Amino acid sequence: MITTNTLNTLRISGLASGIDTDSIIKNLMAVERIPVDKLKQQKQILQWQQEDYRTINNSLRTFRDKVFNMKLQATYLAKKATSSNEGAVGVTATSAAVEGFYTIGITKLAKGITVMSAKLNEETASDGTTLKLSGQFPGIATTISFTLEGSTKNADGSYKQQTFSFATGEKTIYDVVKEINAANLGIQASYDSVNNRFMLISPGTGATQHLKVVSDSNSFLSGTLQLQITSGEKVINQTPTEITSPEAIGVGTDYTGVNAQFTLNNVTFDEPTNTFTVADVTYELRQANVTANVTVSSDTDAIFNSIKDFINAYNDVIGKINAKLAETRHRDYPPLTDDQRKALSDDEIKKWEELARSGLLQNDPLLDGIVNTMRQTMATIVPGMTGSQYNDLSDLGITTGLYEEKGKLYIDEAKLRDAIQKNPTAVMNLFTKSADKYSEKGIAMRLYDDVNNAISQISKKAGSDSTFTLADNSSIGQRLREIDNSINDMEDRLKQVEDRYYRQFTAMEQAINQMNAQSAWLAQQFSMGSR
């Protein structure tokens, strides 16, 4: 066989000798490639270790968010507000709300302006097309016009007005809606095609909402649509009168929304909306002419759940690290070479790699140091806590499990709730105490430092998925680059070795071929001499 390599060097394989030189060279090169394969296996192991480190680091970052919340005093100052009449008023409180009792008397609910038409003719024809105004409202004038005034004000403080004109043989009810909304008057038009009703609605509630039909020359709004105002106030001679039942809209009449009116501990308030905040308590008014009592107190459940979620997150993260530290290492299952992969099925490759990448962080000193530091922080007494203050987590009913559980924490929920109810400030101090010295900080403050340090150490070791630079300057990243350089150098040398083998075998083939030619010539000479 005659072939050429990538350098176009002539290769003669077994033409004269009959030897399968390609197979011989392939086997020789397989031996030569053993150091390269070992480097590639080392590279694969490092890449798997890097992935495992980064997975743990991502878990630590998620846990850090939990720890950060535990550093905040607001977490332990959570307040809850309860209403004696949820149907009348709903309440919520922030951590800044003052604990106490409040009485709220609701006189009026905030309302916007709502104007609705009578039930109109359908806007679609039997073939499904949208009718023009003249088709939907037979007998209507050829052209209709009206002027509206909404809540939007001009630079001089006057209300913005706009006159609308529609050719009824060309425009539909949807064109009326579109043009009113496009005018940005501070009033919204809509058409309910299911119930065949036209509506004008203020975008909000309160006395600042405004609507006025300035003119309606063809009685389109007041006559054809039979608009009725169903919510808001009418203002006549500067005196507002609340609309208590639907009434026909009046051309030239000012309409406004209604402010909520209520008393809070005998102090009168006037608000444009039904949801508002007073002294860090948010109220949602739902019913008028009623009185309700509101109680603001420490939210034991919220504090309890925050601590419980934190402990569960802690158990989860140290559980993942401990699992990696204890994972079985299968040294008889190194990463597969390219040739080995070709001989296996996909399922066999998957099973092999599961064993090959197991235990790569077994007893890893970096991870072992991280988890031990975190465990020590959770078990250490916080100094400087005196009197009725809590000194460590066991005072809250949080204790370590068996030795075999490697630091897992358990919560005595009844004891934790009792500690929170008796002294929520002491619970807060145990976690959030601030100090210049690490050893004097509260548990969450120290643990936050621990986790940040752990993330930094792992990043230096294995890099980060979130890095913004192309260069990975971590320890593993640098080692991977060194291996890549060594592999490239070896691959170049292997090409030279392979070429040398082929040159040697080609020389042998050429020598044998020359000897065969000489032998044939001698045989021919002897044959001619014997005649």
Side-chain angles (χ1 to χ4, degrees):
M1 179 186 297
I2 301 176
T3 60
T4 59
N5 66 0
T6 56
L7 299 176
N8 293 321
T9 302
L10 183 65
R11 292 175 173 177
I12 303 174
S13 304
L15 290 179
S17 65
I19 299 173
D20 187 357
T21 56
D22 281 335
S23 296
I24 294 173
I25 294 174
K26 182 179 180 181
N27 292 332
L28 288 171
M29 292 306 300
V31 176
E32 296 281 355
R33 291 195 66 83
I34 289 176
V36 177
D37 289 337
K38 287 188 178 298
L39 280 178
K40 288 184 176 180
Q41 288 173 322
Q42 290 178 28
K43 177 182 177 180
Q44 181 64 80
I45 289 173
L46 284 171
Q47 288 175 328
W48 283 338
Q49 286 180 328
Q50 188 177 55
E51 290 175 11
D52 290 344
Y53 275 126
R54 289 180 176 182
T55 298
I56 289 174
N57 232 10
N58 287 336
S59 296
L60 285 170
R61 288 190 181 92
T62 301
F63 177 58
R64 181 174 59 182
D65 294 338
K66 291 281 187 183
V67 182
F68 180 80
N69 290 334
M70 299 304 290
K71 288 175 54 182
L72 303 176
Q73 292 188 352
T75 301
Y76 310 91
L77 298 175
K79 302 294 194 307
K80 65 178 178 180
T82 56
S83 169
S84 64
N85 187 346
E86 287 287 341
V89 57
V91 286
T92 58
T94 70
S95 60
V98 178
E99 295 184 30
F101 301 93
Y102 305 84
T103 299
I104 183 169
I106 307 168
T107 305
K108 285 184 178 182
L109 294 179
K111 295 180 181 179
I113 304 168
T114 303
V115 179
M116 186 177 295
S117 73
K119 187 175 180 64
L120 304 175
N121 300 330
E122 291 188 6
E123 89 288 4
T124 54
S126 57
D127 61 0
T129 58
T130 301
L131 292 169
K132 307 301 181 186
L133 289 171
S134 58
Q136 185 179 6
F137 307 109
I140 195 173
T142 304
T143 300
I144 57 170
S145 65
F146 54 86
T147 302
L148 292 179
E149 184 177 275
S151 302
T152 303
K153 289 188 175 182
N154 298 309
D156 62 1
S158 63
Y159 288 110
K160 181 180 178 181
Q161 296 182 359
Q162 183 155 325
T163 298
F164 301 90
S165 181
F166 301 94
T168 58
E170 300 175 6
K171 301 295 184 178
T172 69
I173 192 69
Y174 295 107
D175 292 318
V176 176
V177 169
K178 182 178 179 181
E179 291 196 26
I180 292 175
N181 290 337
N184 294 318
L185 294 175
I187 197 76
Q188 296 292 313
S190 65
Y191 183 77
D192 179 358
S193 61
V194 176
N195 297 296
N196 297 316
R197 292 183 186 273
F198 175 88
M199 287 171 281
L200 295 174
I201 303 173
S202 63
T205 59
T208 58
Q209 304 301 309
H210 175 78
L211 170 65
K212 182 178 183 180
V213 180
V214 179
S215 65
D216 185 19
S217 57
N218 304 99
S219 298
F220 177 69
L221 301 178
S222 57
T224 303
L225 301 187
Q226 301 178 48
L227 292 186
Q228 289 187 322
I229 183 163
T230 60
S231 174
E233 290 183 333
K234 60 181 177 180
V235 183
I236 299 176
N237 297 326
Q238 298 184 343
T239 301
T241 303
E242 189 170 356
I243 305 296
T244 56
S245 60
E247 62 179 62
I249 195 162
V251 177
T253 301
D254 286 307
Y255 295 99
T256 68
V258 179
N259 280 351
Q261 295 179 4
F262 60 95
T263 60
L264 189 61
N265 284 2
N266 295 320
V267 178
T268 301
F269 288 84
D270 195 81
E271 293 286 340
T273 66
N274 290 315
T275 301
F276 51 86
T277 300
V278 178
D280 295 295
V281 178
T282 299
Y283 298 82
E284 182 187 350
L285 305 186
R286 298 166 180 166
Q287 186 179 341
N289 300 315
V290 292
T291 299
N293 295 318
V294 174
T295 303
V296 178
S297 60
S298 178
D299 192 347
T300 302
D301 288 337
I303 301 170
F304 172 85
N305 289 331
S306 293
I307 295 174
K308 184 177 179 180
D309 289 346
F310 163 68
I311 296 300
N312 289 337
Y314 169 80
N315 285 336
D316 179 67
V317 76
I318 68 165
K320 289 177 179 177
I321 297 174
N322 284 327
K324 280 297 177 183
L325 289 170
E327 201 170 55
T328 303
R329 181 79 171 98
H330 301 279
R331 298 188 182 278
D332 293 336
Y333 288 85
L336 295 167
T337 65
D338 293 338
D339 288 338
Q340 288 171 334
R341 283 177 171 275
K342 293 176 183 177
L344 299 176
S345 66
D346 290 342
D347 188 54
E348 288 172 331
I349 292 172
K350 181 180 178 182
K351 291 179 179 178
W352 182 284
E353 289 190 343
E354 286 176 356
L355 295 171
R357 70 179 300 169
S358 172
L360 296 180
L361 299 180
Q362 184 187 64
N363 298 324
D364 181 80
L366 173 57
L367 297 185
D368 189 57
I370 288 171
V371 77
N372 284 336
T373 299
M374 292 171 63
R375 289 177 61 178
Q376 185 177 2
T377 292
M378 299 297 277
T380 301
I381 290 174
V382 176
M385 300 296 186
T386 59
S388 60
Q389 299 290 310
Y390 303 128
N391 296 316
D392 60 23
L393 288 178
S394 64
D395 290 337
L396 307 184
I398 302 171
T399 54
T400 306
L402 298 174
Y403 173 80
E404 293 79 8
E405 294 179 290
K406 300 179 179 179
K408 183 177 180 180
L409 297 177
Y410 288 88
I411 302 174
D412 182 335
E413 296 193 359
K415 187 174 181 179
L416 176 58
R417 286 185 182 277
D418 183 61
I420 295 170
Q421 289 172 345
K422 286 181 177 178
N423 198 343
T425 301
V427 174
M428 176 183 71
N429 291 337
L430 178 65
F431 285 96
T432 67
K433 181 189 174 188
S434 180
D436 293 332
K437 291 183 178 180
Y438 168 85
S439 60
E440 296 178 359
K441 292 181 179 180
I443 290 173
M445 303 291 279
R446 270 184 285 164
L447 189 61
Y448 190 76
D449 291 343
D450 296 341
V451 175
N452 269 330
N453 186 48
I455 292 171
S456 177
Q457 289 183 66
I458 293 176
S459 295
K460 289 178 182 178
K461 178 78 173 181
S464 173
D465 291 330
S466 60
T467 182
F468 294 102
T469 60
L470 296 177
D472 178 5
N473 294 318
S474 66
S475 299
I476 292 179
Q478 291 176 358
R479 179 60 184 142
L480 287 172
R481 285 196 296 275
E482 291 171 0
I483 291 176
D484 281 336
N485 290 335
S486 296
I487 289 174
N488 290 335
D489 290 342
M490 285 188 174
E491 291 287 1
D492 290 340
R493 189 185 66 81
L494 287 176
K495 290 178 181 177
Q496 295 172 1
V497 171
E498 185 181 36
D499 287 340
R500 189 186 74 234
Y501 281 140
Y502 270 107
R503 286 197 303 271
Q504 290 172 339
F505 276 100
T506 298
M508 181 192 73
E509 292 291 337
Q510 290 173 339
I512 292 174
N513 188 54
Q514 186 177 3
M515 291 173 61
N516 287 339
Q518 290 175 348
S519 178
W521 181 81
L522 288 172
Q524 183 182 20
Q525 295 301 316
F526 285 133
S527 174
M528 291 176 63
S530 63
R531 291 179 183 175

